[in-house]
Amino acid sequence: MIKHLRFFMLNLLVLVSAAVMAQNQAVWKSLTFPDENKTENKCSAYTTTWTAKIGDDTWSVSNFNNNNWGWTHIRCGRKKTASTASIMNDAAFTEAVTKVVVNISEAKQLDKVNSVNLIVAKDQACNDIVETVAGSFGEGTSFTGDLTFNVTAPAKNLFYKLVFDMKGGSNNGFIHVDAVDYYTATSATSTSLTFGADVDGKTFVVRQGESFADKTATVTPADAKGTISYASDNEEAISVDATTGAVSFLAFGKATITATFTPEEGYLGSSASYTIAYRQAADPTKVIFDCNEGAFDSFGNENKYKEGEFDFVDLNGDSYTFTVHNAMRNNYDGGLQLKKNSTSDATQQGYAISPAFGKFPNGYRVTVKYKDQNAPELECTNHAEDVAVFDDANGTMYMDVPFADGVFKLSGASQVAYVQSIELTPLAKKDPQPVTMTFPQDVYTCYTNEAPLFDGFTPTIKNAAGEVLNLPVKYSSSNTDFCMVTGSGTVLLSQNPGEVTITAKFAGNDDYLPAEASYLIKVIEKEKAEAGIAFEETMLMVDLSKKTMTAEQLGFKNPNNLAVTYSSNKTDVAEVDAEGNVTLKKAGRVNIDVTFAGNDEYKAATASCTLIVNDYRNTPKLAFDQEEYTANMREGNTFSGATLYNESEVAPLTYTSSNEEVAEVAANGVVILRSTGETTITVWFAGDNDFKATSASYKLTVIDEVVDGIQSITIDNMPEDAKVYNLNGQRINAKALKSGVYVVNGKKVVLK
């Protein structure tokens, strides 16, 4: 009997459980982000516990980062550090939860996830655990979708803790949680709401000016009692009539239109949605970078500041390369995010620098729309002083860049900047404005000698505001035979007297009207002054003994210190160097001329002085005692037997030999014998202030003979006219003989 009772009870339990499972499940509570406590629970770290709130319900969220609600989800998982993140209701749920569904928008680095579990407990501290439900991301390397935890023993008044146990990853925040839904069982009839299979979940792109057919939803079963209402998640861009579902386009952006069936008793609610992207109409005359158009998608979805060159794509599909630093695509709305300026490190400031836009020859207006009053800094980098920036402090700023080569720079300011769109519209071509052109003077005068050095002048061109302009001009001359003018305005003047008009013309351009200006050049003769060079006397008598003197000593005057040249018409009588130093050579007549070639101030001139050079010096007596001498090489290699008479004792003396192969002569007159033969030995005196130049010489015969001995000796008095030679064969003066042996008339004679 007991056995049968147990079997009956077991079957009854199965039937009850099957009945529960057969019941419909409906979302009872939902935790979505940002939650209703977003002003108080902003978080920028992965190590913080904060409170989320939806209605009267609160949850403790641990080790999840919400980026100060710069994201529409929360993230967990830390770089290089193990962590455990959790989400748990603060108060026990009063209904029995049948399943918990976690919506995951992105999960990566799944090899770093140890486990994902739902702990169902009777107490908040999880000391009394009812069950632990394991979740799984599957076998892939990434996951997107719903992570479902089925509760096997649903009961009232329980706590539900989602636990993410993770190893350290290669970066932070590798699991993104968008929402958590809590389901309960219900006996009500389920319903299905739909816009139609071709609408549900679809995104429709509507361009400015295009029509859009309103969408309405229907409920199944058709007899389900309740009401259908419509709502937009971005009423600022696209609003919807809550009753009819008709949409109105208010601003460019994206909105999800959701239809909700609110049932009467006995039915479950349901919903359906579609998305509309309201975008600007493409305009080939403009360049528009819009985050809703994926303009900044080249950054990728890494949520990481980058630098380098990135292509921004405009509405027309054209790419433009920007240079960026510490910039990224914002995951919130796909906008351009620029890192804020750091007071401690200016290099941290994020920026994006545009290229030049050749399609705007007259320049452009750049309009920047930004988010949350986080205005960026805007400047024209290559014309910073010429443009102004206007900011309405309500999300829009603009700047006119009236330059074909203009580039702009967007930078983060005191806060991170979130740029949503950048629009460039062409500036209209302006009517040419008048300009004035003037030269410094109307008339210029120069002298004929200055004409080649006259540089010419450039005109000053100003606009109506008095600002100096740099505009191209062309120059012309009224008389090209007299004056030519180069493209730079330099003139080439004749050195003859005359006049010429120089004209500069600006031909005009898109910005300025034509203009011209002229000036007159007068070339006149300039009367030159007399040079003033002269000699005090035109004829002078000078003594050769003076030898050297200056032009000034000859009486030359140069009062204006002019550059002159000196010359002599007879250089054998007197020479003159470039400095005016005169050197007398010999007696005679010579002209010393001084010439000035002329310059811009003084006329050319010549001065001349005739010198009568007299030579009143005596001729000194310089002679050898004999005209001829004989030297025997066997008696020695030198000869010093010649006697020189120098009564005036002039000096210095120099000696020369006419045949140095026979004999050379030393400075002191000693002859060095080299070979047999004949040579003439000459002594020279060059002259000085007291004596004229003179010379004396003798003939020297060099022999090489053996002397056998004395053949005969006669002691006798020497006749005065006798020809007397010493034993070396040298003739000597018979009047000055000393005791010795001599050869007299071919005989050897001993003189006592």
Side-chain angles (χ1 to χ4, degrees), residues 214-471:
D214 294 328
K215 316 296 181 184
T216 56
T218 59
V219 65
T220 303
D223 59 352
K225 299 185 182 302
T227 58
I228 299 175
S229 60
Y230 301 88
S232 168
D233 67 352
N234 187 1
E235 288 282 346
E236 294 180 355
I238 306 170
S239 66
V240 63
D241 188 287
T243 303
T244 66
V247 297
S248 299
F249 298 97
L250 306 177
F252 300 120
K254 182 183 289 186
T256 297
I257 308 300
T258 301
T260 302
F261 175 66
T262 304
E264 295 182 3
E265 188 175 355
Y267 293 92
L268 294 175
S270 56
S271 64
S273 64
Y274 68 93
T275 301
I276 302 175
Y278 183 46
R279 300 176 177 176
Q280 300 183 61
D283 186 345
T285 66
K286 299 180 179 180
V287 174
I288 301 174
F289 306 104
D290 191 333
C291 67
N292 296 310
E293 298 279 357
F296 313 112
D297 288 355
S298 60
F299 285 106
N301 297 315
E302 300 176 54
N303 198 45
K304 179 181 179 181
Y305 285 114
K306 298 181 179 181
E307 64 178 309
E309 293 186 342
F310 290 83
D311 288 339
F312 295 179
V313 182
D314 75 344
L315 264 62
N316 298 305
D318 297 323
S319 297
Y320 297 87
T321 302
F322 282 65
T323 301
V324 307
H325 173 74
N326 278 342
M328 60 184 284
R329 178 186 179 274
N330 183 271
N331 285 345
Y332 181 70
D333 57 8
L336 174 64
Q337 181 173 321
L338 302 170
K339 195 172 185 179
K340 69 180 181 180
N341 188 22
S342 171
T343 56
S344 60
D345 185 1
T347 64
Q348 294 300 306
Q349 184 181 30
Y351 61 77
I353 302 174
S354 78
F357 298 89
K359 69 186 300 177
F360 303 123
N362 302 309
Y364 56 89
R365 169 172 288 186
V366 54
T367 302
V368 179
K369 292 187 177 180
Y370 55 90
K371 181 179 171 57
D372 300 333
Q373 285 76 47
N374 290 12
E377 296 176 355
L378 177 62
E379 61 179 316
C380 179
T381 55
N382 56 341
H383 298 280
E385 298 179 356
D386 300 320
V387 300
V389 178
F390 301 91
D391 187 359
D392 65 2
N394 197 32
T396 302
M397 61 171 47
Y398 73 90
M399 173 178 69
D400 286 343
V401 184
F403 311 100
D405 65 338
V407 299
F408 65 87
K409 179 180 181 180
L410 283 167
S411 308
S414 59
Q415 302 181 78
V416 176
Y418 301 102
V419 177
Q420 294 178 290
S421 68
I422 305 169
E423 179 177 325
L424 279 65
T425 56
L427 294 177
K429 182 178 179 181
K430 298 179 180 179
D431 293 332
Q433 300 298 307
V435 296
T436 60
M437 182 187 298
T438 58
F439 283 102
Q441 295 176 204
D442 295 330
V443 181
Y444 295 89
T445 301
C446 70
Y447 297 108
T448 53
N449 61 304
E450 299 172 338
L453 303 176
F454 192 87
D455 290 334
F457 298 91
T458 56
T460 299
I461 307 174
K462 295 183 179 180
N463 60 15
E467 299 169 329
V468 177
L469 305 174
N470 184 20
L471 298 175

Side-chain angles (χ1 to χ4, degrees), residues 61-64 74-78 82-88 101-104 106-107 110 112-119 135 137 143 147 149 161-167 174-180:
V61 183
S62 296
N63 298 337
F64 276 93
I74 60 177
R75 300 181 184 183
C76 64
R78 297 182 64 189
S83 63
T84 301
S86 63
I87 303 171
M88 185 178 185
V101 178
V102 183
N103 182 251
I104 306 292
E106 183 177 304
L110 300 183
K112 305 299 182 182
V113 180
N114 295 322
S115 64
V116 182
N117 295 321
L118 174 66
I119 299 174
F137 288 114
F143 178 87
L147 195 61
F149 300 85
K161 185 176 184 179
L162 289 163
V163 181
F164 297 78
D165 185 7
M166 298 156 290
K167 303 173 184 175
F174 45 86
I175 297 179
H176 301 183
V177 176
D178 286 29
V180 181

Side-chain angles (χ1 to χ4, degrees), residues 615 617-621 648-650 685-693:
D615 192 357
R617 297 174 299 170
N618 295 319
T619 301
K621 292 183 179 180
S648 302
E649 297 181 352
V650 295
F685 171 61
D688 56 21
N689 290 340
D690 299 318
F691 296 96
K692 297 177 181 179

Side-chain angles (χ1 to χ4, degrees), residues 455-508:
D455 290 334
F457 298 91
T458 56
T460 299
I461 307 174
K462 295 183 179 180
N463 60 15
E467 299 169 329
V468 177
L469 305 174
N470 184 20
L471 298 175
V473 298
K474 289 187 177 181
Y475 298 89
S476 63
S477 167
S478 64
N479 185 351
T480 55
D481 292 333
F482 180 77
C483 172
M484 297 182 65
V485 60
T486 68
S488 62
T490 300
V491 297
L492 305 174
L493 283 165
S494 169
Q495 288 186 278
N496 299 317
E499 294 183 357
V500 64
T501 297
I502 304 299
T503 301
K505 291 184 178 181
F506 165 60

